[in-house]
Amino acid sequence: LLSLVVLFKGAYSIFFLSTCTLLFSVLKILFIFIIVAFFTLAERKILGAIHRRRGPAIVGLFGLLQPIADALKLFVKELLYPLRAQNFIFLMAPWWILTLSVLAWFFIPFHFIVFKFNALFFFDGVVDINTLFILDLFYTISFEFLFGNYNVQVVDGNIAVLILLAVSSLNVYGIILAGWSSNSKYAFLGSLRSAAQMISYEVSFGLTILPVVILTSSLNFIDISLGQVRGNFMFILLPSFIMFIISMLAETNRAPFDLPEAEAELVAGYNVEYSAVTFAMFFLGEYSNMLLMSALCVLLFLGGVGGHYYYFFPFKIVLVCFLFVIVRASVPRFRYDQLMQMCWKFFLPLTMSLFVYYVVFGFWLLNNIF
Amino acid sequence: MLSVSRLLIYFFLQDNEKISEYECGFEPFDSATRQPFDVHFYLVGLLFLIFDVELALLFPASVCIFDFTWFNVWMVFFFLLLLFIGLVYEWRLAIIDWPN
């Protein structure tokens, strides 16, 4: 069901549409929220299984309605404004994070799969990569929905990778504003830590993507996926891939790098003062960012949207999410100075030298093989 | 109903204990965010600025790196070398080392 939802979500990639309809954007955002909600349930279930307990099992069949119950509870609860908080910024920060996390999803090319579906249903013959090229040139999907025919124009972001990086870096502002405006020491320190960690790892995050960009000469996800038809970049760029996974965990403030949320010292990091709906918004934003990061990981290193096996794409995303949860259950937390040193002293020099290596390697390939 | 009751609560049943910021048992005696904090966070921010600008240059460079002449490629490498020297300098100044 999850993968089906993921599949059909992309049909309404609204950000680039020439014919914008509010309905579709709302639908897409709703789908993202549903996926996120069930991801939280999946996480709790998997954690439970690893701890040899049952996890949520009361609400609904096998606890399937648990996320809905949680969401309801969070929405009904009272919203508190702390005494000395800057109310406007205090309320804007969760909106900021939620909006950015939703915005970023519009650059993930799920419509590629929709092209494939169209090709399957409306064209005869074998669907191969050439057909896809032709379909890609059209950039239009026409379909019937509720009131009539819709011609939806879908354009790949030619600088999608860059835009995603920019959007993920804007997340830091939300965290800083949340910590500063709630005027609590725990929140402030948590937000400082979180921001420092995120901006440090953003550098190494960007630098690990660079080899992929070098080898494909493109910032377009479709091009990057087409570059991986013969073999995933995971194998070719193994060191970059490992560093990407680690900085992905650090970017999303997840275990083993969940220092901003260190329960023992900082209670819950930058969102201590948040309650009810605003807390739910932070929560949604974080988990949607995690899903986004795993989608990015699949697109850049694990074969992209895939050649013939395009239906693997959502499953691969789910697999990387699974990795997130497994890592949380099995790896102990880092110390803060270790975290910073690993980024600046290990990742940064290594990624910079890898950049040089792959440029030279690429030129060698061009001169001697191709 | 809900919103009206919320407003009523907000105006008439405001509880100072409840809406004061989180603290370990005592009343918070000082504003938290108008105090000095560790300068290392600021330094990390400065470092980030430099390397983020580097990224902004390296992304377009790496898209069209195979259309470059050797001179241009060497210029990119020289730029990286400068940054690397800068990193080593900051390493020596122990900006990256976090005080315990």
Side-chain angles (χ1 to χ4, degrees):
Chain A
L1 184 74
L2 190 82
S3 56
L4 265 182
V5 170
V6 172
L7 276 176
F8 285 108
K9 185 182 67 65
Y12 314 121
S13 228
I14 216 73
F15 198 71
F16 290 113
L17 299 193
S18 54
T19 52
C20 253
T21 38
L22 191 67
L23 179 73
F24 289 143
S25 59
V26 168
L27 258 181
K28 172 158 188 168
I29 291 167
L30 268 182
F31 275 132
I32 291 169
F33 288 164
I34 290 167
I35 295 164
V36 168
F38 280 98
F39 177 46
T40 58
L41 173 71
E43 187 189 16
R44 290 170 70 183
K45 274 285 190 190
I46 295 164
L47 278 179
I50 290 169
H51 298 159
R52 302 200 59 146
R53 44 187 183 82
R54 287 177 72 197
I58 306 293
V59 190
L61 193 67
F62 304 119
L64 270 176
L65 294 177
Q66 184 68 43
I68 295 161
D70 283 343
L72 263 181
K73 192 189 111 185
L74 278 172
F75 279 101
V76 170
K77 285 240 169 191
E78 184 192 352
L79 181 60
L80 282 178
Y81 303 94
L83 193 58
R84 287 189 289 183
Q86 308 274 325
N87 273 355
F88 179 69
I89 303 174
F90 185 77
L91 287 180
M92 282 312 287
W95 273 111
W96 181 261
I97 285 188
L98 192 69
T99 314
L100 284 179
S101 65
V102 170
L103 180 71
W105 273 104
F106 292 111
F107 301 96
I108 299 291
F110 279 107
H111 60 266
F112 197 73
I113 294 165
V114 178
F115 279 133
K116 291 258 191 178
F117 268 111
N118 274 4
L120 283 179
F121 293 137
F122 303 121
F123 294 89
D124 296 335
V126 189
V127 181
D128 59 355
I129 216 75
N130 296 321
T131 326
L132 286 171
F133 266 127
I134 295 161
L135 284 173
D136 246 16
L137 291 177
F138 282 92
Y139 284 121
T140 24
I141 309 167
S142 53
F143 58 96
E144 215 170 293
F145 189 74
L146 285 182
F147 308 115
N149 279 315
Y150 288 86
N151 282 310
V152 177
Q153 196 172 11
V154 185
V155 181
D156 301 319
N158 279 328
I159 48 166
V161 179
L162 213 54
I163 292 176
L164 268 178
L165 267 180
V167 169
S168 74
S169 68
L170 281 174
N171 264 318
V172 180
Y173 285 104
I175 285 167
I176 282 275
L177 289 178
W180 183 80
S181 64
S182 55
N183 210 345
S184 158
K185 274 167 192 154
Y186 295 97
F188 185 57
L189 285 175
S191 78
L192 273 182
R193 273 191 182 191
S194 178
Q197 174 182 338
M198 279 172 83
I199 60 176
S200 305
Y201 273 90
E202 208 170 278
V203 174
S204 62
F205 190 71
L207 279 168
T208 45
I209 292 173
L210 274 178
V212 178
V213 178
I214 291 168
L215 292 194
T216 53
S217 290
S218 175
L219 292 168
N220 185 340
F221 280 126
I222 301 298
D223 286 347
I224 290 171
S225 309
L226 288 174
Q228 298 181 68
V229 169
R230 304 257 168 107
N232 297 352
F233 283 150
M234 187 185 113
F235 303 115
I236 306 167
L237 309 172
L238 189 65
S240 295
F241 174 67
I242 294 166
M243 281 189 282
F244 182 87
I245 290 278
I246 294 170
S247 37
M248 181 175 81
L249 290 170
E251 267 281 293
T252 47
N253 291 333
R254 282 287 293 187
F257 308 108
D258 54 346
L259 288 146
E261 295 179 20
E263 306 95 85
E265 10 175 347
L266 284 178
V267 269
Y270 55 89
N271 51 13
V272 201
E273 300 291 344
Y274 284 92
S275 57
V277 188
T278 47
F279 175 75
M281 281 154 83
F282 271 117
F283 200 69
L284 278 175
E286 264 180 37
Y287 275 78
S288 140
N289 265 337
M290 272 167 62
L291 283 167
L292 184 87
M293 284 293 165
S294 36
L296 199 60
C297 180
V298 173
L299 281 169
L300 293 173
F301 289 100
L302 295 177
V305 282
H308 296 281
Y309 305 106
Y310 57 89
Y311 39 81
F312 280 169
F313 180 42
F315 291 107
K316 280 179 189 167
I317 293 177
V318 171
L319 259 180
V320 181
C321 291
F322 189 63
L323 181 86
F324 266 98
V325 181
I326 293 275
V327 166
R328 183 182 168 182
S330 50
V331 184
R333 188 178 287 142
F334 267 61
R335 228 170 50 216
Y336 198 72
D337 57 322
Q338 287 173 337
L339 177 83
M340 284 311 207
Q341 280 182 16
M342 192 169 78
C343 175
W344 292 106
K345 290 188 178 175
F346 179 65
F347 281 8
L348 199 59
L350 198 56
T351 41
M352 277 160 80
S353 33
L354 271 178
F355 174 81
V356 176
Y357 171 73
Y358 281 117
V359 169
V360 174
F361 177 64
F363 268 104
W364 182 82
L365 277 182
L366 273 185
N367 291 331
N368 293 306
I369 308 288
F370 297 116
Chain B
M1 276 288 282
L2 269 174
S3 51
V4 167
S5 68
R6 251 181 215 177
L7 277 178
L8 285 178
I9 286 169
Y10 186 74
F11 284 119
F12 296 112
L13 289 174
Q14 223 179 27
D15 186 2
N16 262 3
E17 289 292 319
K18 189 175 170 183
I19 61 171
S20 71
E21 57 259 36
Y22 178 80
E23 197 49 90
C24 297
F26 53 86
E27 277 187 24
F29 42 78
D30 214 350
S31 177
T33 49
R34 282 67 167 166
Q35 281 182 339
F37 58 91
D38 196 347
V39 77
H40 265 83
F41 290 111
Y42 177 69
L43 291 177
V44 167
L46 281 184
L47 267 182
F48 163 73
L49 258 185
I50 297 163
F51 282 99
D52 213 36
V53 171
E54 174 213 350
L55 263 186
L57 196 71
L58 283 187
F59 260 101
S62 55
V63 168
C64 52
I65 193 98
F66 296 123
D67 304 330
F68 277 7
T69 59
W70 272 113
F71 175 71
N72 296 350
V73 174
W74 280 115
M75 283 309 283
V76 173
F77 286 172
F78 179 67
F79 173 68
L80 268 176
L81 185 73
L82 277 182
L83 275 167
F84 196 78
I85 292 169
L87 182 69
V88 170
Y89 177 66
E90 281 141 9
W91 198 324
R92 292 290 296 276
L93 285 183
I95 290 172
I96 307 161
D97 294 318
W98 214 259
N100 286 315

